[in-house]
Amino acid sequence: MATGRTTTHHDGTGQSRRTVLRAGALLAAGVAAVPLTGCGLLDRDDPPPPPDPLEPLAAEARSLADRHRAAIAADAGLAARLTPIADAHAAHADELRRVIGRPEPSAAASPDPSPAGGDRAAVLAALRSAEQQGRDNAAKACADAPGDRAALLGAIAAARATHLEALK
């Protein structure tokens, strides 16, 4: 009469198949628990990723925002004119950082000082010059960028061109 158990065969060593499987499972669990640090598998010192080509443009956007804010601090009468431009540059810097996928370096360079003496014409001329250089840099970056970044860089170049008009 059959009992329904067909897996109770012994291989002559006195160990059942179930005992062998349990021992194998315990051995595998023990091997997995052994630290892998000694084998060099997890000890790699990977070099940092190369700098993103947009890094200089992101730093420039932050610098332009800071320069406009410094000009506002030096001459509060420029606030209505320069605050939207400073805000646009800050938004561009934030978006570029998002696209790059890395936060802004903690040791960001301080902005170039605005011309001293409260000479509004000199302040605006310096800002126009910085905007012109920034527009040229953004246009070049746009021309060199892959398609997924070109639209953002084109928008930044266009915004900087309108900033030049607002600073006249």
Side-chain angles (χ1 to χ4, degrees):
M1 170 174 218
T3 62
R5 293 186 63 163
T6 59
T7 60
T8 58
H9 299 285
H10 294 285
D11 59 5
T13 62
Q15 302 294 325
S16 71
R17 192 179 313 175
R18 190 171 291 178
T19 304
V20 172
L21 288 174
R22 274 191 205 133
L26 288 173
L27 180 65
V31 169
V34 173
L36 297 175
T37 58
C39 68
L41 198 76
L42 301 176
D43 290 343
R44 294 187 309 204
D45 287 331
D46 291 332
D52 191 286
L54 296 182
E55 290 282 348
L57 205 60
E60 182 180 55
R62 183 63 61 201
S63 175
L64 284 167
D66 292 344
R67 289 182 72 170
H68 282 79
R69 294 201 196 289
I72 293 166
D75 183 350
L78 292 172
R81 190 174 182 186
L82 299 183
T83 298
I85 298 172
D87 291 347
H89 285 304
H92 293 157
D94 292 343
E95 184 61 17
L96 287 165
R97 286 280 157 217
R98 187 193 66 74
V99 169
I100 291 168
R102 286 182 245 174
E104 196 163 353
S106 58
S110 61
D112 297 328
S114 57
D119 182 7
R120 185 178 281 192
V123 169
L124 292 175
L127 291 174
R128 272 194 306 275
S129 177
E131 288 288 348
Q132 177 69 48
Q133 182 65 45
R135 185 200 64 191
D136 294 346
N137 291 342
K140 181 178 180 341
C142 179
D144 296 341
D148 62 330
R149 292 178 165 195
L152 171 62
L153 298 174
I156 291 172
R160 290 180 181 180
T162 61
H163 298 164
L164 282 170
E165 293 300 313
L167 292 171
K168 284 186 177 180

